[in-house]
Amino acid sequence: MEMNELFYQDAYLKEFDAKVISCTACKNGFDVALEDTAFYPEGGGQPFDTGTLNGVEVFDVQRDKQDVIHHYVKEALDEGKVVHGVIDWNRRFDFMQNHSGEHIISGLIHKHFGYENVGFHMGEVIQVDISGPLNWDQLMMIEREANDIIYQNIPVQITYPNNDELENIPYRSKKELQGKVRIVTIENADICACCGTHVRNTGEIGLIKILSFMKHKDGIRFDLVSGKRALEYMRKEHDACKEVSCLLSAKPLEIHIATKKLLDNNLNLLNEKKQCMQKLLEMKLETYTQGKEYVIDFQEGLDRVSLMRYANALLEEKHIPTVCVFNKQENGYMYIILSKKINLQEYVKQLNTELSGRGGGKKEVIQGSFQSDAETIENVLVKTLPF
């Protein structure tokens, strides 16, 4: 079926009229094919358009292998009748800004470093996979140049060169292309084969912001946003920084200095606390005398290493055959139980069952956590373990 793809003729077309060719029931509603359409079908990394046909919601648009575009709607539409289509323009223009922004970034990376865009996904952020390694400073250099391209308000050109012309065009493409090829050109930034919708001039993108990056396979994966989406992100980031600056009593551009000072002070306090706890444990250790059959001891503010060191001291230095030590957590207690007398592995399952616990170990040591209170834990231990 020949169909006029109005989104290619005019990406800014918000409303149109078209005849319904077919309407068939499907899983979540009805599958409608039109004689013409301005609804962009999902493809090339760009999501589908939404909107309405005669006021009926269009919730998905897909292209099949025969190039038929399917509009999925909530209610049936009469075959042979002309319907009025309305595109969700805010959604469409957001995709146009972000798709064009991605072209500029990917094109500039290819221009300066020769790397290819090997993955592209438009979700809440635009995710891009690049074939080679880059660091943050290099990405920021690309971002600055990309925004310079925006300020120059360069035309975004769409052409359909023939095969002879294509041979002389150094365009980017993820795969070998056959038939009519659609080329998107942004002077000094990018030449790329693309089936998506784009802005007319780079100035309409407004802003490009790279958010983060990570190593991915042999290259990197980074997130970016453009246009209104970038402005909204920067507004939220500014509000968050402003709130933090108030909490720290620091100027917004100096919150990193204040935060580092706060973290350093916190680390010093933690070290002091650790030293105090160690002295308290040493003092408490001195109160234990040899000859005790077991110890059940509840602590607070210890890490697992300190708790294990304390348990070992009771076992080895005070020669207490069975040592059960605990550290208070949000939902119960972390436990370490050591014994030279009892095969603890025989009892760990029962203890975990009765005390809503998790953990395990071997004959001489078991460790994990119990979601229970201290009194209940002590009663169960005394009842269960043959001290």
Side-chain angles (χ1 to χ4, degrees), residues 102-146:
E102 177 273 321
H103 269 244
I104 293 174
I105 292 288
S106 295
L108 289 175
I109 289 174
H110 184 267
K111 172 183 174 181
H112 288 290
F113 302 101
Y115 299 149
E116 300 293 341
N117 176 327
V118 292
F120 168 54
H121 174 71
M122 298 179 72
E124 290 186 11
V125 298
I126 312 306
Q127 188 178 85
V128 181
D129 294 341
I130 295 295
S131 63
L134 293 173
N135 59 40
W136 186 249
D137 288 339
Q138 290 169 324
L139 283 174
M140 290 301 94
M141 179 271 288
I142 293 294
E143 180 186 280
R144 286 191 292 272
E145 188 170 343

Side-chain angles (χ1 to χ4, degrees), residues 39-274:
F39 282 89
Y40 181 82
E42 183 175 19
Q46 181 173 322
F48 55 83
D49 285 333
T50 59
T52 60
L53 289 172
N54 271 8
V56 177
E57 179 188 355
V58 178
F59 60 86
D60 191 5
V61 185
Q62 299 292 327
R63 184 194 298 271
D64 65 22
K65 293 180 179 179
Q66 286 72 45
D67 275 342
V68 176
I69 295 176
H70 301 264
H71 308 73
Y72 295 94
V73 298
K74 295 291 186 180
E75 301 173 21
L77 298 175
D78 294 332
E79 293 183 359
K81 295 291 183 66
V82 173
V83 292
H84 185 67
V86 178
I87 304 297
D88 182 341
W89 175 246
N90 288 332
R91 175 182 168 92
R92 161 70 77 78
F93 190 64
D94 171 64
F95 292 150
M96 289 164 62
Q97 287 182 312
N98 279 278
H99 203 158
S100 298
E102 177 273 321
H103 269 244
I104 293 174
I105 292 288
S106 295
L108 289 175
I109 289 174
H110 184 267
K111 172 183 174 181
H112 288 290
F113 302 101
Y115 299 149
E116 300 293 341
N117 176 327
V118 292
F120 168 54
H121 174 71
M122 298 179 72
E124 290 186 11
V125 298
I126 312 306
Q127 188 178 85
V128 181
D129 294 341
I130 295 295
S131 63
L134 293 173
N135 59 40
W136 186 249
D137 288 339
Q138 290 169 324
L139 283 174
M140 290 301 94
M141 179 271 288
I142 293 294
E143 180 186 280
R144 286 191 292 272
E145 188 170 343
N147 281 292
D148 284 340
I149 295 292
I150 289 175
Y151 306 151
Q152 294 172 41
N153 200 28
I154 297 170
V156 179
Q157 302 173 27
I158 309 293
T159 57
Y160 294 87
N162 58 41
N163 291 335
D164 291 337
E165 292 170 327
L166 275 176
E167 290 182 1
N168 298 312
I169 299 176
Y171 66 92
R172 296 187 300 114
S173 178
K174 295 187 184 70
K175 58 184 181 180
E176 289 292 329
L177 301 174
Q178 296 179 347
K180 187 166 65 173
V181 177
R182 184 172 183 263
I183 298 295
V184 178
T185 301
I186 302 172
E187 189 177 355
N188 299 324
D190 190 35
I191 306 174
C192 184
C194 179
C195 62
T197 55
H198 294 273
V199 297
R200 291 192 184 108
N201 301 285
T202 60
E204 295 179 74
I205 300 170
L207 174 68
I208 297 175
K209 186 75 190 94
I210 296 175
L211 306 180
S212 61
F213 87 108
M214 61 183 288
K215 292 182 179 180
H216 181 68
K217 298 182 179 179
D218 295 328
I220 63 166
R221 169 175 289 175
F222 62 89
D223 294 336
L224 67 92
V225 283
S226 299
K228 292 181 180 178
R229 202 184 298 197
L231 180 62
E232 183 61 24
Y233 179 89
M234 297 302 293
R235 182 180 292 116
K236 289 179 179 178
E237 188 175 72
H238 175 269
D239 290 345
C241 288
K242 186 177 179 181
E243 185 173 346
V244 172
S245 72
C246 291
L247 292 172
L248 296 176
S249 298
K251 296 178 181 179
L253 295 181
E254 296 177 359
I255 59 174
H256 62 296
I257 299 172
T259 300
K260 185 179 184 305
K261 183 178 179 181
L262 183 65
L263 290 174
D264 289 342
N265 290 340
N266 185 58
L267 182 60
N268 291 334
L269 289 173
L270 288 174
N271 288 332
E272 290 177 10
K273 178 183 177 182
K274 190 174 182 180

